[in-house]
Each structure stands twice: as C-alpha cells, then as structure tokens.
Amino acid sequence: MSGAIVVINAGSSSLKFCVYFHRAQGLAPALRGQIESIHTQPRFKARDAAGAECGTKTWPQGTALGHDEALRHIVEFVHAQLPDEPLLAVGHRVVHGGMEFAAPVRMDADVLARLEAFIPLAPLHQPHNLAPIRALLAARPDLPQVACFDTAFHRTIPEIAQMFALPHALHVEGVRRFGFHGLSYEYIASQLAHFDPIAATGRTVVLHLGNGASMCAMHASRSVATTMGFTAVDGLPMGTRSGSIDPGVILYLMDERGMDARAIETMIYNASGLLGVSGVSSDMRTLLASAEPGAKRAVDLYVYRIGRALGSLAAALGGLDAVVFTGGIGENSAVIRERVCRDAEWLGVELDPEANERGGPCISTADARTRAWTVPTDEEWMIARHTLSTLEGRP
Ligand code: ADP
C-alpha cells in the first residue's frame, strides 16, 4: 500500500502540515508547510524534502479563510505536487483525549462527538484541532482520518500523580493532571534505545523546551510524572504562559482587580511567562541576545524553575539516570542546556562543555553518573506512524 500520509497540526490561527511517502522501507518526508493568519491575512508556504521552497501564496489583507478553506488549499496543493501518489490517510494532532483515549483513534462522527466533549478542558486548542477533521469528514468521508493525542502518552501516570488535593469527586469527574506534549515524549521514548539503553530502561527526565514547555519523568520509557496538569498552562514558565502559580493569585485578581475568567485566561496564556516577566519578548533567542534587565530576569527564572521541576521529577522517579533536552530551546540553546546541567550537578549531571557547544547528541562527560543528551523531536513523524499503524489495524 504505497501512497502519501498527510499530517495536520491545526492551531487557532494556523494550519501546519507534513506529507510522508509510505514505502516498503518505511515513511519518508515529502513536503511540509503551513498557512498562517488564516482569519486575517493568510500566507501559505511549503518546502520539499530537501528544504527547497515549492509553494507560496498570500491572500489579500482581511481574507478570512478559516480552517475549512485552508485545509482545502493544502489538500489541493498536495494533490497538485504529488498527482500520482494516492492519499492514504490524514493524521491529526489533537491536544486532548481525556481519560478515554489512551491511543490514536480512527475518526468518525461518533468519535468526533466524544472529542468535542473535551472542548471545555482545552478551549484554546481542541476546537481548532477538531475543525479540519469535521471538514474532511464532510468533504471526503471515504478518506481515513486518525486523531493522535497529546495526552495519550501520559495515561500511564499512576493515579496518585494525577491527583490534585481537591475534593475527590472532582478527580472522578476528570479534574486531574493529564499532561501534554505526549507526541513529542513518545517520539523521544521511541529513540532512547538507539543512543542510550540505560536512558531507555532507567529513570529519565525529558525536557521539552519550546514555545510551550514541559518536562516528563519516564521510567523504562513510560511516563510516570509530568509538569503540565489539567491544562497546558501548568508547570514551567513558557513563552507567554505563566506555568504553575498559586491558585490564590487567581482569587486575588478576581477580588481585587475585578478580572473575570476571560481576562485572567488572556493574562496567564498570552501575557505571562518569558514575555510577561521580561517585558521584552517571548522568544528565547531575543532574550539571550538582549541587554535589558528584564530579559536576564526572565531567563534566570526560567532556568530556576526548570531546576526545581527536575528535582521534583527525580524525586518521583526515586533517582535519575539521564536527562534529554528537546524542543526549539532544548535542541538549539547551548547556554540554556549548560545552565540547567550546572544546576543539576547535585543529581550527578556533569556537562561536557565542548560536546554541548557542538550540539551533542551526548553532552555529558564519559563518566557522569547521570547522562545528558540533546535529541531533536519529531511529533509529525510520530503522528504519521500512528496514522499508518491505525490504518493497518496494528496497535
Ligand atoms: P513550538 O513550541 O512553537 O513548536 P519551538 O519548539 O520551535 O516552538 O521553540 C521555539 C523557541 O525556541 C523560541 O523561544 C526560540 O527562540 C527558541 N530557539 C530556537 N533556536 C534557538 C537558539 N539557537 N537559541 C535559543 N533559543 C532558540
């Protein structure tokens, strides 16, 4: 069954896509691209497997393409680029699978309705993730679609580590730590054995440091604890998200500042984290290059909070054999890796500065008790693989 698998990652204002060839020898990247600003001034860009630009289009200012039209453009573009390649299936990144979906699932109207029930758990992501699925179910009911969840990898987290110390009925109802970035963690887990058998079988903390940021404690490559919680705003400070704060702060903002849920949502999702603390930027590169005191403050807090979380996750694991950096910051910033590793010396991490500057993959000294790695993540490939397995009826 050779052909193409399309992977869609739909956000509130953009649709990213990747196309893979499915061949006897496995999956191979073919195209990737995105449409940005789909509600205001859509811009389309695509590149081939060699990284050469193979498609661009800009719509006039004020064009509201929406998810349906944007998806149609992508599907038509893929067909025009690869006219002889049958489209086998479309895989989608979906942020929330709730307690019900611990594995990827083939989409139909019934599954869509069950996933819509999780919209209140992830109102800023889930509706956008589901929009292209709904559009394709209507336009191409024959085309297999598979949803892959950011929460699924964390369904192995023990009950106690999922629990908030709230009245227990809320836990039963689903107010619990779900965890996110699961497709990234699953990809890293699938790679661990190739470079470090001890990391694959032992106690490993993976740091996914991108615009969104979280950390996952893995035992034998299975998630046992993570920093994100009921929503993706918990845990580490991120580009614009606050990470964990005292819930009393929310009450204070309501009582003393008269802020309602929407205003607080905007503050903790869009105006906090690196941006809010620095007052300069949400972008780590900009902060590291800036001489502003706010930039230093934000980077210091970021590194400090990673260190605190690492200690906590090492405690959950009962020790630490390896740390793995991934995500835009984790993969590219030697400075952040160095600072995190220096703070983690008490956990047996010993940085090899030259290896770190080179970008690894191993960035710890040969005799370090706890090894440190940098490994590029690939959530799209993970989705493509899941889509294929689901299509072929394999687990
Ligand atoms: P997303 O979560 O949106 O996928 P990425 O994983 O691409 O985001 O991460 C984006 C972050 O990575 C930004 O803060 C960016 O500044 C940072 N980043 C990328 N390259 C570097 C670099 N060389 N040094 C420091 N930070 C970097």
Side-chain angles (χ1 to χ4, degrees):
M1 183 177 51
S2 104
I5 303 267
V6 176
V7 171
I8 299 283
N9 183 353
S12 58
S13 65
S14 73
L15 242 83
K16 294 185 185 155
F17 72 97
C18 277
V19 184
Y20 293 85
F21 294 127
H22 175 229
R23 300 285 185 261
Q25 57 275 26
L27 287 167
L31 301 168
R32 68 167 54 221
Q34 60 184 334
I35 304 191
E36 291 173 346
S37 308
I38 57 175
H39 306 294
T40 49
Q41 185 178 15
R43 288 186 308 277
F44 171 77
K45 250 193 202 151
R47 293 183 183 279
D48 65 17
E53 202 167 86
C54 59
T56 57
K57 178 169 175 165
T58 303
W59 283 260
Q61 175 79 38
T63 309
L65 214 51
H67 286 89
D68 297 15
E69 280 297 311
L71 182 69
R72 196 194 323 265
H73 181 80
I74 290 171
V75 171
E76 283 170 9
F77 172 80
V78 171
H79 186 63
Q81 288 287 310
L82 311 169
D84 303 324
E85 207 67 43
L87 182 52
L88 299 176
V90 179
H92 299 266
R93 181 179 187 174
V94 175
V95 69
H96 224 301
M99 288 183 283
E100 196 176 342
F101 295 99
V105 62
R106 177 98 174 236
M107 290 304 305
D108 58 26
D110 172 55
V111 175
L112 182 65
R114 278 146 70 196
L115 294 178
E116 281 169 345
F118 304 138
I119 286 176
L121 301 181
L124 302 185
H125 295 99
Q126 191 85 345
H128 311 300
N129 301 160
L130 299 183
I133 300 180
R134 190 181 307 106
L136 264 183
L137 276 177
R140 295 281 307 271
D142 54 308
L143 183 63
Q145 297 191 71
V146 175
C148 303
F149 303 102
D150 267 313
T151 48
F153 184 69
H154 299 297
R155 300 317 299 143
T156 50
I157 292 181
E159 192 83 6
I160 193 96
Q162 292 183 38
M163 232 175 255
F164 298 121
L166 288 168
H168 194 65
L170 281 170
H171 176 77
V172 176
E173 185 183 314
V175 180
R176 55 177 68 202
R177 186 178 295 283
F178 287 103
F180 299 89
H181 287 138
L183 292 158
S184 171
Y185 292 128
E186 191 177 7
Y187 176 79
I188 299 293
S190 76
Q191 300 301 303
L192 283 178
H194 300 314
F195 55 87
D196 187 354
I198 293 174
T201 54
R203 300 158 301 180
T204 298
V205 171
V206 181
L207 299 88
H208 177 107
L209 308 177
N211 267 324
S214 71
M215 292 163 65
C216 176
M218 294 183 197
H219 194 212
S221 298
R222 286 155 64 94
S223 174
V224 296
T226 190
T227 56
M228 279 182 168
F230 179 60
T231 66
V233 76
D234 196 16
L236 300 177
M238 309 175 212
T240 61
R241 284 174 253 171
S242 63
S244 310
I245 51 171
D246 175 351
V249 172
I250 306 284
L251 301 177
Y252 171 85
L253 294 174
M254 293 168 77
D255 287 343
E256 301 301 322
R257 296 284 189 92
M259 290 171 75
D260 64 8
R262 296 289 75 76
I264 294 172
E265 180 179 81
T266 300
M267 178 185 275
I268 63 176
Y269 276 91
N270 301 327
S272 297
L274 296 174
L275 175 65
V277 175
S278 69
V280 173
S281 173
S282 63
D283 190 290
M284 184 57 86
R285 260 173 309 199
T286 307
L287 296 179
L288 290 172
S290 167
E292 293 285 326
K296 179 179 178 327
R297 179 170 63 224
V299 175
D300 286 351
L301 178 60
Y302 187 74
V303 171
Y304 169 79
R305 288 279 291 275
I306 290 172
R308 289 279 299 258
L310 186 58
S312 165
L313 293 174
L317 286 166
L320 191 61
D321 298 308
V323 292
V324 180
F325 291 88
T326 194
I329 298 171
E331 291 166 29
N332 298 304
S333 177
V335 177
I336 297 294
R337 289 197 302 261
E338 176 176 351
R339 290 186 57 177
V340 169
C341 287
R342 296 259 179 251
D343 286 353
E345 278 173 2
W346 67 281
L347 283 165
V349 178
E350 264 176 56
L351 187 78
D352 175 340
E354 280 171 24
N356 184 41
E357 285 299 327
R358 275 200 312 273
C362 183
I363 57 168
S364 53
T365 58
D367 48 5
R369 183 159 55 81
T370 299
R371 305 231 260 168
W373 298 88
T374 166
V375 179
T377 195
D378 196 343
E379 290 151 301
E380 290 79 17
W381 184 85
M382 201 68 236
I383 295 170
R385 215 184 76 167
H386 277 315
T387 301
L388 198 59
S389 308
T390 307
L391 201 62
E392 292 173 345
R394 287 184 281 120

